[in-house]
Amino acid sequence: MENRSQNFELDNLDTQILSILMEDATIPYTEIAKKLIVSGGTIHVRMKKMQDMNIIKGSHLIIDPQRIGYDICAFLGIYLEKGSQYKDAVENLKKIKEVVELHYTTGSYSMFAKIICRDTNHLRQVLNEDIQGVKGIQRTETLISLEESIKRQITL
Amino acid sequence: MENRSQNFELDNLDTQILSILMEDATIPYTEIAKKLIVSGGTIHVRMKKMQDMNIIKGSHLIIDPQRIGYDICAFLGIYLEKGSQYKDAVENLKKIKEVVELHYTTGSYSMFAKIICRDTNHLRQVLNEDIQGVKGIQRTETLISLEESIKRQITL
DNA sequence: GTTGAAAAGTGCTGCGA
DNA sequence: TCGCAGCACTTTTCAAC
């Protein structure tokens, strides 16, 4: 009905609801209602509004990759032979499940990727066989993350 | 009681439960139970086990930063004057809410950060005032993400 | 370890203010 | 627009297999 996708006017209440649920999406509406001193129904209405406005994209279970054997996180600066090969490269990189993030960036690299691997062998395999096999990729630079010191969402 | 934090043995069932909930944490246990042809109680037991083992770190509401006015995502290669200043720098960068990810990396940079800003003015302010103000930071290189082509969790 | 059902708590929907 | 109350659903627990 209403095409108000651009029209994002969040008041204090909306913002506070998001802040709480962004940290722990399992907190029940009733508890949020108590904290913010409104009724549970109000929380529900606000959440529905924000879902309709596509502000809320979903809810993810956060797991610790290291605990299930994925020990290495690395960033990849990717140089393409030609910038025009970007779209094809994206499609091919999507097929590599170890690539969890990919950005088209300004600066020295054409693209920038984040990858998660089990161990150094796995990383070498992904870099040498999978990534280098993608058409259009000239060369890559690897930054291995030895420690993830901060990992959070934006604060509202 | 049991100190089995290292002992991660996930069977097929555990893995399938995680896969489903990592994409959408709102799916009820009863529905997962139907899909995997086990009882709801079993799902509950497995989830509790994985929470106790700290494999599951929590659940986040995923919002679209662009819809609430955070339009710019950038990566920052950070050079420290001395590597030993790492710990102090982390503490100070934690105070900058725009920094959503920070890694201690190998390669040319000492550290690597991901930041989310409202617009170019906001980015300039964060770079010039906040980041450059952190003691020990010599200089930074900025990669602005023009498009986030892939954003997902690891597939199990 | 798994099941099935009962008990407790949560989410959803109208009506009223 | 918000709050309250009833119903449907889910989560949680537990005895039994």
Side-chain angles (χ1 to χ4, degrees):
Chain A
M1 290 297 169
E2 317 166 52
N3 186 5
R4 56 158 95 180
S5 47
Q6 308 284 26
N7 192 4
F8 36 79
E9 291 301 332
L10 297 183
D11 62 15
N12 266 339
L13 184 57
D14 295 323
T15 308
Q16 287 180 78
I17 296 171
L18 285 184
S19 296
I20 293 173
L21 289 174
M22 275 165 67
E23 283 178 21
D24 184 355
T26 65
I27 294 177
Y29 286 4
T30 49
E31 199 172 319
I32 299 171
K34 265 189 286 181
K35 271 188 192 169
L36 304 180
I37 319 180
V38 289
S39 80
T42 303
I43 306 286
H44 184 254
V45 169
R46 299 305 188 101
M47 284 296 288
K48 183 153 180 19
K49 183 191 73 180
M50 292 191 282
Q51 278 163 356
D52 290 345
M53 286 166 79
N54 271 314
I55 289 167
I56 296 172
K57 291 172 76 179
S59 169
H60 282 355
L61 196 71
I62 307 301
I63 63 158
D64 187 344
Q66 290 190 10
R67 295 258 182 210
I68 54 168
Y70 284 81
D71 215 24
I72 293 191
C73 165
F75 292 94
L76 240 61
I78 299 173
Y79 295 92
L80 289 176
E81 287 164 9
K82 301 179 216 161
S84 57
Q85 289 162 318
Y86 171 67
K87 277 197 175 176
D88 277 348
V90 170
E91 288 312 310
N92 285 313
L93 287 169
K94 271 186 188 167
K95 293 173 192 160
I96 303 172
K97 75 182 178 84
E98 288 84 359
V99 176
V100 294
E101 230 173 285
L102 182 68
H103 298 260
Y104 183 57
T105 53
T106 67
S108 27
Y109 310 120
S110 313
M111 298 191 293
F112 201 73
K114 180 178 180 180
I115 64 179
I116 307 275
C117 293
R118 293 183 184 283
D119 48 42
T120 48
N121 270 333
H122 186 194
L123 176 64
R124 197 188 55 223
Q125 187 184 320
V126 171
L127 288 178
N128 290 344
E129 296 171 25
D130 301 332
I131 304 278
Q132 292 293 350
V134 172
K135 196 165 165 287
I137 291 186
Q138 197 177 55
R139 68 188 186 87
T140 60
E141 269 175 32
T142 310
L143 310 174
I144 294 178
S145 167
L146 301 176
E147 189 185 325
E148 187 173 57
S149 316
I150 298 179
K151 172 74 169 173
R152 61 189 178 195
Q153 294 200 75
I154 49 167
T155 332
L156 297 179
Chain B
M1 292 290 170
E2 318 166 48
N3 187 5
R4 57 157 94 178
S5 47
Q6 307 284 25
N7 192 6
F8 36 81
E9 291 301 333
L10 298 183
D11 63 14
N12 267 338
L13 183 58
D14 294 323
T15 307
Q16 287 180 77
I17 296 170
L18 285 184
S19 296
I20 293 172
L21 289 173
M22 276 165 66
E23 283 179 21
D24 183 356
T26 64
I27 294 177
Y29 286 4
T30 49
E31 199 172 322
I32 300 172
K34 266 190 284 181
K35 271 189 191 166
L36 305 180
I37 320 181
V38 291
S39 80
T42 302
I43 305 288
H44 184 254
V45 170
R46 297 304 188 101
M47 285 295 288
K48 184 154 180 18
K49 183 191 73 181
M50 291 190 284
Q51 278 164 356
D52 290 345
M53 286 167 79
N54 271 313
I55 290 168
I56 296 171
K57 292 171 77 177
S59 170
H60 282 357
L61 196 71
I62 308 301
I63 62 157
D64 187 343
Q66 291 191 8
R67 294 256 180 212
I68 54 168
Y70 285 81
D71 214 26
I72 293 191
C73 166
F75 292 93
L76 239 63
I78 299 173
Y79 295 92
L80 289 177
E81 286 163 11
K82 302 179 216 159
S84 57
Q85 290 163 317
Y86 170 67
K87 277 196 176 178
D88 277 348
V90 169
E91 287 312 310
N92 285 314
L93 287 169
K94 271 186 189 167
K95 292 172 193 159
I96 304 173
K97 75 183 179 80
E98 288 85 358
V99 176
V100 294
E101 231 174 283
L102 182 68
H103 298 260
Y104 184 55
T105 53
T106 66
S108 26
Y109 309 121
S110 313
M111 298 192 293
F112 200 73
K114 180 179 179 178
I115 65 179
I116 307 275
C117 292
R118 293 184 184 281
D119 48 43
T120 49
N121 270 334
H122 186 194
L123 175 64
R124 196 188 55 223
Q125 188 183 320
V126 170
L127 288 178
N128 290 345
E129 295 172 27
D130 301 332
I131 304 278
Q132 293 292 351
V134 173
K135 194 165 166 288
I137 291 186
Q138 197 177 54
R139 68 188 187 89
T140 60
E141 269 174 31
T142 310
L143 311 175
I144 295 178
S145 166
L146 301 177
E147 188 185 324
E148 186 172 58
S149 315
I150 299 180
K151 173 74 170 173
R152 62 189 177 196
Q153 293 202 75
I154 49 166
T155 334
L156 296 180

